[in-house]
Amino acid sequence: MKILAVYGSNYGQTEAVIRRIAQALEALGHEVNVFKGDSVPASVVVEDYGAVVVGASILVGKYQDYIRDFVTRNLPRSKPARRRSSR
């Protein structure tokens, strides 16, 4: 399956977690494309992926604005199987 992984990270920890998740998925035979949320190329089309993983840190009670924007822009087009959040 082709999987898109998008992350928001202030100090690098969330990026490390997403990259570790991507490695585990690739070991299972999936193709994973990883992008920081503020650097997702315009050519990326969410509908081209079988799954989307979004990871973000929380700083001062908020996710990064670019992650919220990415999810808001793409949520109507996606059908999440499960959402996990500490909020």
Side-chain angles (χ1 to χ4, degrees):
M1 177 187 305
K2 188 173 174 185
I3 300 171
L4 174 63
V6 178
Y7 68 90
S9 188
N10 293 314
Y11 301 107
Q13 295 304 312
T14 305
E15 177 183 6
V17 171
I18 281 288
R19 292 197 181 278
R20 182 84 166 130
I21 291 168
Q23 287 176 346
L25 291 168
E26 288 169 342
L28 294 171
H30 300 288
E31 175 189 344
V32 184
N33 299 124
V34 179
F35 298 102
K36 187 171 182 183
D38 60 356
S39 301
V40 178
S43 61
V44 170
V45 177
V46 171
E47 293 87 356
D48 291 344
Y49 292 86
V52 178
V53 177
V54 178
S57 57
I58 298 175
L59 185 63
V60 192
K62 287 180 46 181
Y63 297 112
Q64 294 84 1
D65 288 340
Y66 58 86
I67 287 294
R68 290 188 4 222
D69 292 344
F70 174 83
V71 171
T72 300
R73 277 193 321 272
N74 292 288
L75 186 61
R77 293 182 274 175
S78 63
K79 295 180 182 174
R82 174 175 41 167
R83 293 186 199 168
R84 296 189 63 127
S85 174
S86 60
R87 295 193 74 178

